[in-house]
Amino acid sequence: QVQLVESGGGLVQAGGSLRLSCAASGLTSSTYAMGWFRQAPGKEREFVAAISRGGGSSYYADSVKGRFTISRDNAKNTVDLLMNSLKPEDTAVYYCAANRGYRVTNYRAYDYWGQGTQVTVSS
């Protein structure tokens, strides 16, 4: 049974940092591209960042480019999202997801999802 479990969310002031982690079990993470998405109340789920199977390529939404960094450790089956210079508009539930395909920015292309972790940025 595949499980993705996110951790690291919380409340932070604007300008602060958080590191989200995603622990994968029941799959060999090196065979999946991994992504982070977020969903704010009343809004659609949106792409945040993704990383290729080997970690050599990463992709970011324009809104987080230069502030967020995605990384992975295939030996530990984990994917992290380091979020710096956080803004109130980054407030959302953040989801980790695994993708057997190659359309890494499209949430419909992902096969497995975590339960999400809340990130709240106060102004």
Side-chain angles (χ1 to χ4, degrees):
Q1 182 179 356
V2 176
Q3 273 196 314
L4 301 177
V5 179
E6 302 96 336
S7 61
L11 173 63
V12 64
Q13 286 189 331
S17 300
L18 281 175
R19 179 185 289 272
L20 305 183
S21 292
C22 173
S25 60
L27 57 78
T28 304
S29 64
S30 61
T31 63
Y32 290 79
M34 299 296 292
W36 285 94
F37 290 76
R38 66 188 181 187
Q39 189 165 17
K43 295 188 176 181
E44 284 200 355
R45 192 166 298 192
E46 66 171 352
F47 169 74
V48 175
I51 190 165
S52 62
R53 287 156 181 75
S57 298
S58 55
Y59 312 86
Y60 298 93
D62 287 343
S63 59
V64 307
K65 204 170 292 184
R67 299 188 297 124
F68 291 12
T69 303
I70 189 170
S71 61
R72 68 187 299 163
D73 185 335
N74 285 340
K76 297 180 179 179
N77 271 8
T78 58
V79 179
D80 286 357
L81 184 69
L82 176 61
M83 306 185 294
N84 293 324
S85 303
L86 282 161
K87 305 175 181 180
E89 51 263 44
D90 294 319
T91 296
V93 176
Y94 283 70
Y95 298 91
C96 172
N99 182 349
R100 286 174 290 193
Y102 294 89
R103 293 180 297 156
V104 297
T105 63
N106 184 342
Y107 76 87
R108 295 180 178 87
Y110 281 74
D111 302 286
Y112 302 104
W113 291 85
Q115 292 298 308
T117 186
Q118 176 71 45
V119 171
T120 303
V121 184
S122 63
S123 57

